[in-house]
Amino acid sequence: MTNPTDHPTIQERDVQQLLDDAAAATGILPTIGQCQQLNDELRRLLADLDQQVRHRQTGLTARSRDWYAADRLLVDTGAVLAETMGLGLLSAATHVAALGRQAAAVLRWLEV
């Protein structure tokens, strides 16, 4: 039996599609249901990426340029995760786009 808190792992090929969908969210507005789905998936992705950044940061020299870059990503990720979708479709689309931009920034840093 699965636990309601168990979520499927986002596959690498699905991550790019998720980021593309988030970026497109403010072009042609998705439905509120699609925004909610993107919000949920991006939050799970960012939680996973946040842990990866924290893990990598522990191996960096404290207060080095790379350490501060990791710290900035963690702060920015926390800030975007603290926001909500708001009450309207445009605010929801803007929010998922921001989540997607942050996920893309973290992924770029992790690939370096």
Side-chain angles (χ1 to χ4, degrees), residues 5-105:
T5 59
D6 291 340
H7 300 290
T9 304
I10 299 173
Q11 301 298 319
E12 185 174 327
R13 63 181 173 75
D14 296 332
V15 169
Q16 189 57 52
Q17 183 62 48
L18 181 60
L19 297 178
D20 291 345
D21 290 347
T26 56
I28 299 174
L29 293 180
T31 66
I32 196 69
Q34 290 167 322
C35 285
Q36 185 61 56
Q37 181 179 354
L38 285 169
N39 180 61
D40 294 345
E41 291 176 10
L42 286 163
R43 285 178 175 278
R44 284 194 300 271
L45 174 62
L46 280 168
D48 179 56
L49 294 174
D50 184 83
Q51 290 305 311
Q52 290 180 47
V53 171
R54 288 178 191 282
H55 177 72
R56 185 171 295 176
Q57 187 183 35
T58 62
L60 299 172
T61 302
R63 307 205 185 286
S64 66
R65 176 183 282 180
D66 290 336
W67 186 91
Y68 278 114
D71 194 59
R72 182 78 255 158
L73 281 172
L74 295 170
V75 169
D76 291 347
T77 298
V80 77
L81 288 172
E83 297 296 322
T84 65
M85 289 196 333
L87 300 175
L89 182 55
L90 182 57
S91 66
T94 302
H95 176 68
V96 297
L99 290 171
R101 283 190 304 274
Q102 185 60 28

